[in-house]
Amino acid sequence: MATDQYQPLQGMSDLIAPEIDLWQALEARSRELLDRYAFTEIRTPVLERTSVFARSIGDTTDIVQKEMYTFEDRGGRSVTLRPEATAGVMRHVAGQGPEALESRLYYLGPMFRAERPQAGRKRQFHQLGAEILGPPNAAADAECIVLQKHLLDEWGLKDYRIRINTRGLPEDRRSVGAALRDALSPSVSALCEDCRRRYETNPLRILDCKNESCGREVDRLPPITHFMSSEARDYFQEVLRLLKRLDIPVEEQPRLVRGLDYYVHTVWEITGTALGAQDAISGGGRYVIPIGEKEVEGVGFAMGLERVMVALREQKADRKLISKRPKIWLISAGTAAFEENLVLMQSLRMRGLCCGMDLQGRSLKAQMRTANRQSAAHVIIRGEQEMERGTFVLKDMATGEQEELDMPGLMERVQALTPF
RNA sequence: GUGGGUGUAGCUCAGCUGGUUAGAGCGCCAGGUUGUGGCCCUGGAGGCCGCGGGUUCAAGUCCCGUCACUCACCCCA
């Protein structure tokens, strides 16, 4: 029944079995790896004051202008569902003492953008991200990229590309913008409508316009590093050198600038193949974010987990990530056996085993069907005969072999089935 | 926000130019085996044909609106 009242809001979905297995596997592997990289988790609220996002992401960006879920709370304050997590994390860090400015934090959770849904784009989606706080440091930038690659490899994702560029020092922004404007001034008329607007508001964004004629004009320009200070160029070269040293293949992409205002210095993007139009699975960069009177500096990235999962499914790598514990299904014939099985099931669970049984007292055949559907590795069958003899039938569902055991024998066999 | 495609059983879909009781496969339940799953056979349950309006003697089918899904643009993860 596809009736509206049973559906979640547009672009949002209920995550449930069997897909949830992939979510849990991805999350578990990620947390383990982030821990190995000495990051700790932070969970910030999903709802923040609107200014937290508007100031840091940038008033002219599409995210702030048309993609945020913004509304007034009961006290008349403007609040917003987070469209990304970096701003909230920085809000937290800015409120802490100076030692927090050296933190290594990661987050994993839902983000909200009121866009039109399409392949690889939901209104509620999930990001995994990490931040290394602190002033510009090429090693930190490089480590972020290393970590992302490691995550993708850990998940078993193949065929992705890492593209990288620099936006220069914060102080360079004004001069780079001005230089770009000068360089483009003869060809403004050749630019698309959006870019003519960007020419005034944010000339850097013209660089990654997908429009062909804009691309032709941009290709005539020297790379933007040309307009930057030598300090910015040296910093970027150092990042590239370290990445090479760490054996991370990246492609320089002089037109990559990314869409959020807070980025400075190194920016990068990871794209996957076979993802449709929305092929960016991860993006990141160094940033300077104003919060209240302070500015917080750091470097970080965010990965779109829905897109990662689409890519994993496409490459048939999703099933390899999921490991389910073997399950035992208890089968009873007769009410006496049923009740004894309830007791047995509980004691097996206390011993760390994963098990279940039909609670409705259906036919043995129906119980077996359920066991099969539950993909139980083994079943324990108990009926009148076994009750009389004080035994249990243990059946291996894969081979179909079964044996009759007494209690000590059953416990011994069953204990051997636990992974621990 | 703009444009294209699609809404029929739990799922995937068929339903020719409008015509009587709306179908298939899978899944589910039961039986074939009153103590054994998967494979096979038989039967059964399950449909406001997304929703609202209109045209017509008659609408799942045509028209309008609306909602949702989906793909793309814009942009982003």
Side-chain angles (χ1 to χ4, degrees):
Chain A
M1 245 308 144
T3 308
D4 303 348
Q5 38 192 327
Y6 303 128
Q7 287 187 346
L9 291 173
Q10 185 176 42
M12 310 203 173
S13 43
D14 302 317
L15 304 176
I16 192 169
E19 309 91 81
I20 200 73
D21 293 337
L22 185 54
W23 281 95
Q24 292 181 348
L26 216 56
E27 289 172 11
R29 299 264 196 142
S30 305
R31 291 204 149 91
E32 193 282 322
L33 194 66
L34 266 322
D35 186 49
R36 238 192 281 173
Y37 275 72
F39 281 80
T40 57
E41 186 179 5
I42 179 170
R43 301 189 191 186
T44 61
V46 159
L47 200 60
E48 296 268 6
R49 270 186 300 280
T50 301
S51 60
V52 168
F53 305 113
R55 277 193 67 203
S56 57
I57 297 170
D59 290 327
T60 64
T61 60
D62 285 331
I63 291 182
V64 171
Q65 282 193 336
K66 54 183 199 189
E67 296 172 3
M68 296 204 306
Y69 280 98
T70 296
F71 53 93
E72 282 192 1
D73 70 5
R74 285 170 182 255
R77 290 168 287 257
S78 179
V79 294
T80 297
L81 282 168
R82 61 181 186 193
E84 55 101 62
T86 301
V89 172
M90 295 311 129
R91 193 253 319 126
H92 167 85
V93 167
Q96 303 296 109
E99 70 282 359
L101 301 175
E102 302 290 324
S103 321
R104 299 162 67 86
L105 298 168
Y106 82 87
Y107 58 84
L108 194 167
M111 309 294 158
F112 303 84
R113 291 184 199 174
E115 304 172 271
R116 197 71 170 262
Q118 74 186 75
R121 197 170 72 186
K122 307 285 282 183
R123 288 184 167 183
Q124 175 174 340
F125 60 104
H126 297 76
Q127 285 187 337
L128 164 65
E131 317 284 355
I132 300 177
L133 281 297
N137 177 334
D141 297 15
E143 195 184 0
C144 272
I145 296 173
V146 171
L147 169 55
Q148 280 169 100
K149 181 185 184 318
H150 201 158
L151 280 164
L152 296 177
D153 294 345
E154 176 71 18
W155 297 334
L157 194 79
K158 294 188 172 54
D159 302 328
Y160 55 84
R161 306 169 69 184
I162 308 173
R163 281 185 261 253
I164 189 169
N165 194 24
T166 179
R167 304 206 342 169
L169 304 180
E171 305 85 87
D172 287 342
R173 175 173 298 171
R174 192 170 285 272
S175 54
V176 169
L180 271 177
R181 231 177 246 131
D182 279 352
L184 282 166
S185 62
S187 39
V188 173
S189 57
L191 299 176
C192 71
E193 199 184 322
D194 286 331
C195 284
R196 285 202 291 273
R197 199 190 64 240
R198 290 176 185 133
Y199 183 81
E200 302 299 335
T201 59
N202 193 354
L204 211 54
R205 297 287 287 142
I206 297 173
L207 293 184
D208 65 358
C209 180
K210 286 174 199 142
N211 186 296
E212 275 181 44
S213 73
C214 297
R216 275 196 299 276
E217 297 308 319
V218 168
D219 285 340
R220 281 192 201 132
L221 306 177
I224 51 165
T225 46
H226 177 83
F227 304 114
M228 292 172 191
S229 57
S230 63
E231 192 188 340
R233 281 199 295 269
D234 292 345
Y235 182 91
F236 188 48
Q237 286 310 311
E238 179 64 3
V239 173
L240 293 175
R241 190 185 69 80
L242 288 173
L243 286 170
K244 194 161 190 178
R245 194 67 216 286
L246 290 160
D247 214 21
I248 308 296
V250 297
E251 302 167 31
E252 276 188 70
Q253 171 56 268
R255 288 178 54 180
L256 179 75
V257 297
R258 302 194 45 76
L260 280 56
D261 282 358
Y262 56 54
Y263 284 121
V264 295
H265 276 303
T266 324
V267 289
W268 64 87
E269 198 166 272
I270 302 179
T271 53
T273 53
L275 268 175
Q278 308 303 323
D279 64 350
I281 57 180
S282 184
R286 177 159 286 284
Y287 47 77
V288 175
I289 296 182
I291 301 285
E293 305 299 305
K294 300 189 187 177
E295 279 190 337
V296 185
E297 297 180 286
V299 59
F301 64 86
M303 308 179 100
L305 295 183
E306 278 82 357
R307 291 183 188 174
V308 167
M309 298 199 332
V310 167
L312 286 174
R313 270 192 271 268
E314 199 67 39
Q315 298 175 5
K316 306 216 185 306
D318 53 330
R319 310 212 68 180
K320 287 178 221 155
L321 265 171
I322 301 166
S323 61
K324 304 228 79 180
R325 302 172 62 198
K327 195 182 288 175
I328 299 172
W329 207 250
L330 284 81
I331 309 245
S332 354
T335 50
F338 174 82
E339 199 164 317
E340 285 308 306
N341 267 348
L342 276 180
V343 175
L344 173 63
M345 176 167 70
Q346 206 48 30
S347 93
L348 292 177
R349 285 170 175 166
M350 296 299 236
R351 286 164 182 263
L353 288 146
C354 166
C355 53
M357 61 185 271
D358 187 308
L359 299 178
Q360 297 163 77
R362 298 191 304 162
S363 73
L364 193 133
K365 187 175 180 159
Q367 294 178 58
M368 285 298 291
R369 241 201 321 272
T370 306
N372 194 58
R373 210 178 311 122
Q374 288 277 335
S375 55
H378 296 268
V379 296
I380 295 172
I381 304 168
R382 265 214 283 191
E384 282 172 36
Q385 286 174 34
E386 289 79 15
M387 292 299 287
E388 274 171 33
R389 291 199 286 248
T391 59
F392 309 82
V393 171
L394 180 67
K395 176 169 183 169
D396 184 318
M397 292 296 274
T399 63
E401 287 166 19
Q402 56 185 60
E403 55 186 324
E404 193 169 350
L405 301 160
D406 59 10
M407 181 62 113
L410 178 74
M411 285 306 164
E412 191 182 326
R413 297 280 282 101
V414 136
Q415 206 71 59
L417 302 175
T418 45
F420 313 107

